[in-house]
């Protein structure tokens, strides 16, 4: 059975936490690590490592980036997940650079909407209220299934 860790950061509305908790409920071989509560973990025992985050200033949360820089072993298979108010592939750039520097591979990426009230969005009550919804959560679970079943 594939051993998987998902390192995540979910701050404002817990959008990303909804995704990773649904994954962990479905797959007992998935270990969740909250990077907002822990700065380090031994990731060497895991076959595949996921990084999941809300998007903050067009990137993964700074705690996720620091966690990956300090804890990601060389040559690991990884996957990426994020929640955001507006979708863009550029959100993955910084985390992918770190993975590349560690000679890791990105096996897949999942992006979905998340309720967003950051900055000036507060004035207009936010974006994507009600997200991630049940369909997006289910898609995230299936995305991770595809990654860990391919091992």
């Amino acid at each position: 059975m594939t051993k998987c860790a998902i390192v995540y950061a979910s701050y404002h509305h817990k959008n990303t936490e909804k995704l990773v908790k649904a994954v962990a409920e479905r797959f007992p071989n998935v270990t969740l690590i909250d990077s907002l509560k822990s700065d380090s973990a031994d990731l060497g025992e895991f076959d595949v490592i996921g990084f999941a985050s809300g998007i903050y200033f067009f990137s993964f949360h700074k705690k996720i980036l620091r966690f990956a820089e300090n804890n990601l072993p060389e040559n690991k298979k990884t996957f990426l997940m994020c929640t955001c108010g507006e979708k863009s592939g550029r959100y993955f750039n910084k985390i992918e650079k770190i993975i590349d520097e560690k000679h890791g591979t990105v096996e897949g990426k999942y992006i979905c909407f998340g309720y967003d009230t950051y900055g000036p969005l507060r004035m207009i009550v936010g974006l994507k209220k009600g997200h991630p919804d049940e369909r997006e959560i289910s898609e995230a679970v299936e995305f991770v299934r595809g990654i860990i079943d391919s091992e």
Side-chain angles (χ1 to χ4, degrees), residues 92-103:
F92 298 107
N93 291 349
K94 288 181 182 177
I95 189 77
E96 284 183 298
K97 183 175 186 245
I98 294 165
I99 294 165
D100 187 54
E101 288 169 355
K102 302 273 188 166
H103 309 289

Side-chain angles (χ1 to χ4, degrees), residues 125-142:
V125 190
L127 296 174
K128 310 303 182 216
K129 191 169 187 170
H131 291 273
D133 60 23
E134 289 302 316
R135 179 185 55 80
E136 292 161 324
I137 293 169
S138 180
E139 287 173 352
V141 169
E142 290 305 309

